[in-house]
Amino acid sequence: MDVRRVVTGHDASGKSVFVSDQAVAPQPVTGFHRLWGGDDTPQFPDDGSMPRQHMYFPPIGGFRFGMFTLPPDSVAGSDIDAAAGMEDIEAEAPGLLRYMDLSDPGMHTTDTIDFEVVLEGTVILELDDGSEVTLSPGDTVVQNGTRHRWKNGGDTTARLAVFMCGAAHAGVPAP
């Protein structure tokens, strides 16, 4: 499913304007919607152009805004076959694999502070100690660089919006 992205900016006189209104398709391999982000301290892009991004997760001071879906009865990232699809995953989501614990499918730790909102469906957020919380539409999570995995044990697709800020994290080596 495409997601509509409306971007505002400013014209030469400083007046607020709509600079783009377009559908953003999910990435074909990971299904993530890359809605917005940048690697540097945010600045207003008056022309509505997307700030530069080199890696999937943002560096310290960088940010990302996107959406992801979890099909029914699935675990996010558990279907990653690093050997078979590494080039495709790296092309679509540069650096993603280095955060994934391939010995424990779906588990990962990032050097980001994440703000998630459940939009549709029900998801389970599992932490590294096995504790879980079930989240429903409208529920939010502030995730501070914790090791975790996302699961959908239901029979409908779940969709979440996420905003990630790059942060210093002693437990995650810098790229």
Side-chain angles (χ1 to χ4, degrees), residues 1 16 21 26 28 32 50 54 63-64 69 75 89 91 100 105 124 152 158 165:
M1 174 182 83
S16 297
D21 184 343
F32 293 120
M50 177 92 71
H54 293 98
F63 60 98
R64 302 287 186 271
T69 58
V75 175
I89 294 169
M100 303 302 292
I124 299 167
N152 179 351
C165 301

Side-chain angles (χ1 to χ4, degrees), residues 132-147:
E132 297 180 344
V133 64
T134 300
L135 302 159
S136 300
D139 291 346
T140 64
V141 175
V142 177
Q143 195 154 229
N144 291 298
T146 53
R147 184 170 181 268

Side-chain angles (χ1 to χ4, degrees), residues 134-173:
T134 300
L135 302 159
S136 300
D139 291 346
T140 64
V141 175
V142 177
Q143 195 154 229
N144 291 298
T146 53
R147 184 170 181 268
H148 66 283
R149 89 175 104 222
W150 293 100
K151 301 188 291 189
N152 179 351
D155 56 3
T156 61
T157 297
R159 187 162 52 117
L160 291 87
V162 60
F163 177 77
M164 299 178 278
C165 301
H169 190 311
V172 179

